[in-house]
């Protein structure tokens, strides 16, 4: 409670026990405002305005590692007594015979955490107590890291300063990975732990001055080191969790670290593993326009030589982020292929003519033998500079199809398909590919669908063994996708509205590697419910994968009804949503404007009713950029 006082009353008060009872704040008009702080059960206020109680330090998250006296108990007996007193966990619910590695590897320590608690609820209780109280159990962390009590006492700061921010970050990451190894998929807890990490960053960057004015001061000593940031990226890639606010801060710190470490006037060079890790994190977090992407592109251009692993993965992830330009494309192609001038990559006109010759080699009935030999020689002249595995071939094919037909050399596509067939002749290699990466199965399924529905002539001319391999991989992905697919709440809401409108449909369909949210039974119509993870962060631009899937659905002669989450969630009235869905279906099936981007989304007059008694009355500016029917130009 804050109680303001006048200057006269302030003069009557005296210091109690040598401590000042009043604190002064200096306002912008150079006037001082005196106030007194009264706290119940927290003791007296100190001179600098900070409470001396232990509870106040815990609220600020600046608690110290506990200083424990030496006892006659063994470390196992001591930790059992500790968890029983603090958390109320039964001794039979923990395994004290686990092996520790001294806390060097975060992932091994996380496995020790998951093995130490036999029951998932006990691990939940430990993490929830940290989330609620903001007090970390350093004694339990030290035991599971293999640090003895003597080493813990020796490592304790003499001046009583808090532990480093990096150690707090790593402890929170241990919580996240222990849940992952325990096979607990709870994104709510991951979100709360991410907020704690943001709180630590805010404490490190914004510190109040000694005078208590509360101004933010930037201090490089409080920034995270590069190793901790990269470990955070790796952990979140394992868990596959998104948090745009946290990763915006982490990517900015990492970008600043790279720019400050680069000498002036020299090329910016980043290691291959770090580039692949950062690009994969950018793809999972859906960051498209961050400044670190420009830094990575600059590093790729300045690199004297690109390895096969870096070339393939950088090409794939930059394409998924829609950030692949012509210079980067030429750099990657020159590192992978030997191509004659006629078959240069990245040229729209040349690739189109090559595609026509490859797909329709006998388009003219009177084709000469010299032309056939020219086509065969053109394919043979394309050679690989580096050995490519089956996974690399699939990633390159998927990336080229994401780029579009203007950047495709169909001779290279044919060569990659033949190389893929040579790598996957044995069934054992197919099973190894299935266990290696689940995402690769979806990519190869999309590649087969693209060839079947958009380039049918090229697909028919492929060898039968290659077709059989592609079909087997698609069947493996279909079986796995059917078991893993879960129903989303957004899809449930749209399905409920369709049921009320008496429209027969099926939820969570699947065809050709493309997930179909809602598929109607009577019409060849697909309802696509676009959630936040199908857009790039802080934009309304659909991802490159979503656009490719929509293009393939149109090639299958399906009509697509789009429902965007930022539109559907804005409509609060039930009747408004029914009218939105009804008019969306009408324009998709009947109106040719569905194929025009200018008359989609909020520009379409989905809602054309007016009800006076309804509180949520529709007005002309209900949506952003809404244009009434009378003002539209046809």
């Amino acid at each position: 409670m804050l109680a303001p006082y006048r200057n006269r009353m302030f003069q009557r008060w005296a210091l109690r026990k040598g401590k000042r009872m009043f604190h002064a704040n200096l306002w912008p008009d150079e006037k001082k405002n005196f106030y007194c702080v009264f706290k119940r059960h927290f003791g007296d206020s100190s001179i600098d305005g900070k409470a001396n109680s232990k509870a106040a330090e815990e609220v600020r998250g600046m608690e110290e590692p506990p200083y424990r006296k030496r006892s006659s108990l063994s470390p196992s007996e001591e930790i059992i007594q500790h968890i029983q007193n603090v958390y109320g966990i039964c001794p039979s619910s923990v395994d004290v015979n686990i092996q520790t590695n001294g806390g060097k590897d975060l992932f091994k320590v996380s496995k020790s955490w998951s093995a130490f608690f036999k029951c998932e609820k006990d691990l939940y209780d430990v993490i929830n107590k940290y989330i609620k109280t903001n007090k970390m159990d350093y004694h339990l962390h030290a035991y599971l890291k293999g640090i003895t009590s003597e080493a813990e006492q020796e490592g304790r700061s003499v001046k009583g300063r808090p532990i480093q921010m990096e150690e707090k970050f790593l402890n929170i990451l241990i919580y996240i990975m222990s849940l992952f190894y325990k096979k607990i998929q709870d994104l709510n807890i991951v979100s709360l732990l991410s907020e704690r990490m943001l709180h630590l960053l805010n404490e490190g960057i914004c510190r109040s001055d000694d005078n208590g004015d509360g101004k933010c001061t930037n201090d490089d000593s409080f920034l995270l080191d590069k190793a901790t940031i990269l470990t955070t990226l790796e952990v979140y890639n394992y868990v596959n969790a998104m948090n745009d606010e946290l990763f915006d801060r982490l990517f900015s710190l990492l970008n600043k670290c790279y720019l400050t470490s680069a000498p002036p006037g020299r090329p910016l060079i980043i290691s291959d593993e770090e580039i692949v890790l950062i690009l994969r994190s950018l793809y999972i977090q859906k960051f498209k326009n961050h400044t670190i992407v420009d830094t990575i592109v600059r590093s790729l251009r300045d690199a004297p030589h690109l390895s096969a692993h870096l070339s393939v993965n950088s090409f794939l992830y930059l394409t998924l982020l829609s950030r692949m330009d012509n210079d980067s494309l030429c750099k990657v192609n020159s590192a992978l292929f030997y191509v004659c001038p006629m078959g240069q990559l990245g040229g729209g006109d040349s690739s189109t003519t090559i595609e026509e010759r490859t797909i329709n080699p006998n388009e003219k009935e009177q084709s000469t033998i010299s032309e056939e030999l020219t086509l065969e020689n053109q394919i043979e002249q394309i050679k690989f500079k580096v050995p490519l595995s089956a996974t690399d071939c699939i990633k390159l094919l998927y990336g080229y199809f994401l780029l579009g037909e203007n950047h495709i050399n169909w001779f290279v596509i044919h060569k990659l398909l033949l190389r893929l067939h040579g790598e996957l002749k044995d069934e054992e290699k197919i099973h190894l590919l299935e266990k290696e990466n689940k995402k690769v199965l979806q990519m190869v399924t999309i590649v087969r669908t693209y060839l079947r529905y958009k380039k049918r002539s090229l697909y028919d001319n492929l060898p039968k063994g290659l077709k059989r391999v592609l079909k087997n991989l698609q069947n493996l992905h279909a079986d796995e996708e059917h078991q893993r697919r879960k129903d989303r709440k957004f899809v449930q809401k749209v399905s409920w509205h369709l049921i009320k409108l008496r429209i027969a449909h099926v939820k969570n369909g699947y065809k050709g590697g493309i997930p179909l949210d809602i598929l109607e039974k009577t019409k060849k119509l697909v309802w696509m419910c676009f959630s936040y993870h199908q857009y790039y962060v802080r934009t309304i631009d659909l991802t490159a994968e979503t656009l490719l899937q929509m293009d393939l659905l149109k090639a299958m002669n399906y009509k697509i009804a789009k429902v965007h989450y930022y539109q559907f969630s804005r409509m609060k009235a039930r009747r408004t949503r029914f009218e939105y869905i009804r008019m969306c279906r009408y324009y998709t099936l009947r109106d040719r404007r569905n194929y025009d981007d200018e008359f989609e989304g909020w520009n379409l007059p989905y809602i054309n009713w007016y009800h006076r008694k309804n509180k949520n009355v529709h007005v002309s500016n209900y949506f952003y950029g809404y244009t009434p029917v009378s003002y539209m130009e046809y």
Side-chain angles (χ1 to χ4, degrees):
M1 181 179 68
L2 299 179
Y5 291 91
R6 296 183 179 179
N7 193 12
R8 295 180 181 178
M9 299 181 66
F10 173 70
Q11 294 176 357
R12 299 177 184 177
W13 288 79
L15 297 177
R16 293 184 180 181
K17 300 180 182 180
K19 296 181 180 180
R20 191 172 62 186
M21 296 293 296
F22 285 86
H23 314 287
N25 273 355
L26 186 62
W27 297 91
D29 54 356
E30 299 183 357
K31 293 183 180 179
K32 289 187 177 181
N33 180 26
F34 297 97
Y35 61 90
C36 181
V37 180
F38 295 92
K39 292 184 179 180
R40 184 174 297 177
H41 305 298
F42 279 83
D44 296 331
S45 300
S46 60
I47 296 178
D48 55 352
K50 297 181 180 179
N52 295 327
S53 63
K54 182 180 179 181
E57 294 180 358
E58 294 178 359
V59 172
R60 293 186 178 89
M62 302 295 290
E63 70 277 2
E64 301 177 7
Y67 180 80
R68 299 184 177 274
K69 298 180 180 180
R70 297 183 181 180
S71 61
S72 59
L73 299 176
S74 63
S76 301
E77 296 176 352
E78 186 178 356
I79 198 64
I80 288 175
Q81 184 179 0
H82 172 72
I83 62 174
Q84 190 173 6
N85 296 334
V86 177
Y87 304 104
I89 298 176
C90 181
S92 60
S93 300
V94 296
D95 185 9
V96 295
N97 297 324
I98 59 173
Q99 296 180 357
T100 57
N101 61 339
K104 296 180 181 180
D105 191 356
L106 181 140
F107 299 98
K108 291 183 179 179
V109 175
S110 302
K111 289 182 179 179
S112 301
W113 271 76
S114 62
F116 179 75
F117 296 98
K118 298 180 181 179
C119 182
E120 292 84 356
K121 185 179 180 300
D122 297 336
L123 181 60
Y124 254 104
D125 294 340
V126 174
I127 298 176
N128 282 328
K129 186 167 185 180
Y130 165 70
I131 292 174
K132 293 178 180 179
T133 62
N134 195 20
K135 183 179 180 182
M136 193 169 290
D137 193 349
Y138 295 103
H139 182 52
L140 183 59
H141 277 280
Y143 174 78
L144 293 176
K145 289 179 182 178
I147 302 175
T148 59
S149 59
E150 291 81 3
E152 182 184 357
Q153 292 177 7
E154 293 176 0
R156 184 175 179 270
S157 178
V158 180
K159 297 182 181 180
R161 294 180 298 179
I163 63 174
Q164 297 295 329
M165 187 192 299
E166 287 80 3
E167 186 175 352
K168 291 185 178 181
F169 250 72
L170 294 177
N171 290 340
I172 296 176
L173 295 177
I174 288 173
Y175 289 150
I176 297 175
M177 284 304 300
S178 61
L179 292 173
F180 176 77
Y181 288 131
K182 208 70 176 178
K183 296 182 180 180
I184 300 174
Q185 297 180 356
D186 193 348
L187 296 180
N188 294 327
I189 289 186
V190 177
S191 178
L192 293 174
L193 292 174
S194 302
E195 291 181 3
R196 290 296 180 190
M197 298 170 77
L198 272 172
H199 182 66
L200 290 175
L201 286 175
N202 294 332
E203 282 184 353
I205 296 178
C206 295
R207 296 184 303 163
S208 58
D209 295 339
D210 296 335
N211 297 329
D213 55 356
K215 295 182 180 180
C216 295
T217 57
N218 294 330
D219 191 359
D220 293 339
S221 61
F222 276 77
L223 299 181
L224 292 175
D225 57 347
K226 185 175 69 174
T228 306
I229 297 176
L230 294 176
T231 305
T232 306
L233 301 184
E234 192 172 358
V235 168
Y236 273 81
N237 290 346
Y238 271 104
V239 182
N240 198 12
M242 299 176 63
N243 193 304
D244 56 341
E245 189 176 357
L246 173 63
F247 277 86
D248 186 18
R249 188 76 62 83
L250 293 179
F251 287 142
S252 300
L253 293 176
L254 193 59
N255 186 37
K256 183 180 179 181
C257 180
Y258 285 130
L259 293 179
T260 53
S261 61
R266 292 186 179 182
L268 178 63
I269 298 177
I270 308 175
S271 63
D272 297 353
E273 296 179 356
E274 293 180 4
I275 290 178
V276 174
L277 177 60
I278 295 170
L279 287 175
R280 187 166 184 267
S281 302
L282 287 167
Y283 162 66
I284 293 176
Q285 302 299 326
K286 300 295 184 296
F287 271 92
K288 173 186 176 182
N289 299 321
H290 202 277
T291 54
I292 197 172
V293 182
D294 301 329
T295 305
I296 291 176
V297 172
R298 174 190 164 190
S299 175
L300 292 174
R301 293 177 183 175
D302 295 343
H305 175 70
L306 298 180
S307 62
H309 177 69
L310 178 60
S311 301
V312 172
N313 288 279
S314 61
F315 170 73
L316 175 65
Y317 290 122
L318 287 177
T319 306
L320 289 169
L321 294 172
S322 301
R323 292 299 302 270
M324 177 60 69
D325 53 359
N326 291 328
D327 296 337
S328 302
L329 182 61
C330 294
K331 181 83 173 181
V332 171
N333 290 333
S334 61
L336 294 176
F337 306 106
Y338 290 109
V339 188
C340 66
M342 182 180 177
Q344 287 180 353
L345 299 179
D349 298 335
S350 61
S351 62
T352 305
T353 56
I354 293 170
E355 171 201 351
E356 293 176 357
R357 292 181 183 179
T358 308
I359 296 176
N360 299 318
N362 299 322
E363 183 179 1
K364 297 181 180 180
E365 297 180 357
Q366 299 177 354
S367 59
T368 59
I369 301 176
S370 60
E371 292 180 354
E372 296 179 358
L373 294 176
T374 303
L375 294 175
E376 293 178 358
N377 294 333
Q378 189 70 22
I379 296 175
E380 292 178 357
Q381 287 179 2
I382 299 175
K383 297 180 181 179
F384 299 105
K385 288 185 178 180
V386 291
L388 297 177
S389 62
T391 305
D392 296 337
C393 294
I394 293 172
K395 290 180 179 180
L396 289 174
L397 289 169
Y398 189 70
Y400 281 124
F401 291 157
L402 285 172
L403 276 179
E405 297 183 5
N406 294 331
H407 302 279
I408 294 178
N409 186 334
W410 294 100
F411 290 129
V412 174
I413 298 298
H414 189 78
K415 196 78 173 181
L416 288 172
L417 289 171
L418 294 179
R419 183 62 176 267
L420 178 63
H421 182 214
E423 292 289 333
L424 297 178
K425 285 184 178 180
D426 300 334
E427 294 184 359
E428 297 180 357
K429 294 183 178 180
I430 296 178
H431 292 294
L432 290 176
L433 181 65
E434 179 187 3
K435 296 179 181 179
E436 180 182 357
N437 194 351
K438 307 296 183 182
K439 181 68 176 177
V440 175
L441 292 178
Q442 183 185 4
M443 291 182 184
V444 72
T445 306
I446 295 293
V447 168
R448 181 175 183 266
T449 305
Y450 189 97
L451 294 174
R452 287 183 63 201
Y453 289 96
K454 299 200 70 174
K455 305 297 174 186
R456 186 67 190 186
S457 301
L458 176 61
Y459 181 78
D460 293 337
N461 294 328
L462 293 177
K464 293 183 179 180
L466 177 58
K467 294 180 184 178
R468 192 183 305 110
V469 169
L470 294 176
K471 188 175 182 180
N472 293 336
L473 292 174
Q474 182 175 353
N475 293 335
L476 291 175
H477 178 259
D479 297 339
E480 183 184 357
E481 184 69 18
H482 179 70
Q483 299 176 359
R484 190 175 55 182
R485 191 79 188 276
K486 294 182 180 180
D487 200 1
R488 292 184 295 158
K489 291 184 178 180
F490 190 15
V491 177
Q492 292 177 359
K493 290 180 181 179
V494 178
S495 175
W496 182 84
H497 288 79
L498 292 177
I499 291 173
K500 294 299 180 181
L501 292 173
R502 297 184 179 181
I503 299 174
H505 63 276
V506 178
K507 293 187 298 182
N508 299 326
Y510 173 86
K511 186 171 184 180
I514 304 173
L516 308 177
D517 295 332
I518 297 175
L519 177 63
E520 292 193 8
K521 294 182 179 180
T522 57
K523 302 288 185 180
K524 206 167 185 180
L525 175 64
V526 177
W527 290 82
M528 301 294 289
C529 304
F530 296 133
S531 299
Y532 65 93
H533 63 275
Q534 293 173 295
Y535 298 87
Y536 293 113
V537 170
R538 299 172 184 176
T539 63
I540 55 174
D541 301 333
L542 291 170
T543 59
E545 286 183 299
T546 306
L547 294 176
L548 178 61
Q549 292 175 5
M550 292 171 58
D551 191 16
L552 293 178
L553 287 176
K554 290 179 181 179
M556 298 177 189
N557 294 326
Y558 281 102
K559 293 186 177 181
I560 304 172
K562 308 170 188 176
V563 183
H564 305 274
Y565 80 98
Y566 56 86
Q567 294 178 355
F568 195 76
S569 61
R570 187 176 174 82
M571 294 178 290
K572 304 301 180 183
R574 180 181 297 178
R575 188 171 180 179
T576 309
R577 293 187 176 186
F578 276 113
E579 195 67 18
Y580 177 91
I581 290 177
R582 188 182 69 83
M583 295 302 294
C584 180
R585 187 172 185 268
Y586 168 75
Y587 283 113
T588 304
L589 293 175
R590 299 293 183 183
D591 202 335
R592 61 183 179 181
R593 289 178 298 175
N594 181 62
Y595 300 98
D596 192 355
D597 295 337
E598 296 181 359
F599 296 100
E600 286 186 354
W602 281 325
N603 291 327
L604 283 177
Y606 286 117
I607 306 164
N608 57 0
W609 61 274
Y610 185 87
H611 197 263
R612 294 182 180 179
K613 296 182 180 180
N614 195 349
K615 295 181 180 180
N616 297 323
V617 178
H618 170 67
V619 292
S620 60
N621 58 353
Y622 190 81
F623 298 116
Y624 300 115
Y626 177 81
T627 305
V629 183
S630 58
Y631 292 98
M632 283 189 175
E633 297 180 1
Y634 295 94

